[in-house]
Amino acid sequence: MHMLLVARRGRARDRFLEELARLGAHCQVAETPEELTQAARLCRYNGVLFDVPTIVREKHFDKGALQKLAEIYPSARLKYDASTDAVFALGTDAGPPSRDGLSVFVAACRDFLPRIIRRGERVEAHLPAILWRTRPPVGDPGDGDPGGERTCTLNVSILGCFLFTTTQWAIGEEAWVVFPDVTEEPVRMRVAWHEPWAKRRTAPGVGLAFLETPPALVAELGRLGCVTGEMAIACAGKGL
């Protein structure tokens, strides 16, 4: 189970992470809007947690964007009591403001289908692509090299793409993709999720987040109609 925690550095954040780990939840932490954007591009989440002092005092966070997060995911506000070293969770899914509030929230999140935060609309597009586990030489089409897998995108967004493949990939792995009809420059990417083969309703493949985007690729994505939206890494299906 994967949570997103918005919190500044300090004892409070350390205690939040300790309690979440004790409850079996892995946590991605965002301290700044930039870190929140990066986290949004990499993972699916079962829930989101907000440290109250952070969201009240940090003026750089867009309060409207934080509210949208709370509407997309089960959410809770966290408070730390330094005098007792206790963590309290408040919110619709967090139960009463007691020491049990966080455990109630985590238990509720177990039934929530993990979602990824979207920041742009997906566009259906079938771009020829060659998928690599290591960086290929510039201009290498992958002929005869088992390291390069010929495939194509099923859809793309300004922040990533979904590639058809039956090969096993792990979330977080680095990948390299060449789009031969667009540019010979390999594009460094990271696996945001993996859809295994043999699911009846979902195409197998990997959702990849761009870690860099050559100008030619940016231009092609724009030509295809990819634009930045309010809250996207492409995915196999049309739903989140």
Side-chain angles (χ1 to χ4, degrees), residues 4 36-37 39-45 65 68-69 72-73 114-124 155-160 193 227-240:
L4 176 60
L36 182 59
T37 298
R41 296 175 66 173
L42 295 180
C43 298
R44 294 187 180 198
Y45 299 101
K68 287 178 181 177
L69 286 178
I72 294 171
Y73 298 99
R115 296 181 177 181
I116 199 163
I117 303 168
R118 298 183 58 212
R119 291 180 53 84
E121 291 303 317
R122 295 184 302 272
V123 174
E124 184 177 337
N155 55 65
V156 297
S157 80
I158 199 66
L159 295 183
W193 70 92
V227 295
T228 301
E230 288 295 323
M231 289 295 299
I233 299 168
C235 71
K238 292 187 178 181
L240 278 170

Side-chain angles (χ1 to χ4, degrees), residues 23-85:
L23 294 169
H26 177 69
C27 209
Q28 181 79 27
V29 180
E31 182 180 359
T32 65
E34 294 75 20
E35 291 178 354
L36 182 59
T37 298
Q38 182 69 4
R41 296 175 66 173
L42 295 180
C43 298
R44 294 187 180 198
Y45 299 101
N46 296 81
V48 61
L49 297 149
F50 304 101
D51 172 43
V52 172
T54 297
I55 61 176
V56 170
R57 298 171 187 169
E58 293 295 332
K59 305 304 181 184
H60 298 297
F61 280 105
D62 182 335
K63 299 302 188 290
L66 296 179
Q67 178 59 39
K68 287 178 181 177
L69 286 178
E71 294 171 356
I72 294 171
Y73 298 99
S75 63
R77 302 182 305 279
L78 298 181
K79 295 188 70 174
Y80 170 67
D81 185 346
S83 64
T84 61
D85 202 36

Side-chain angles (χ1 to χ4, degrees), residues 159-194:
L159 295 183
C161 65
F162 186 87
L163 285 182
F164 174 85
T165 179
T166 57
T167 304
Q168 182 67 38
W169 287 81
I171 293 176
E173 273 192 273
E174 185 176 81
W176 293 84
V177 178
V178 175
F179 299 96
D181 287 358
V182 179
T183 176
E184 293 185 348
E185 183 177 353
V187 179
R188 189 165 68 97
M189 311 184 80
R190 180 170 294 139
V191 177
W193 70 92
H194 172 255

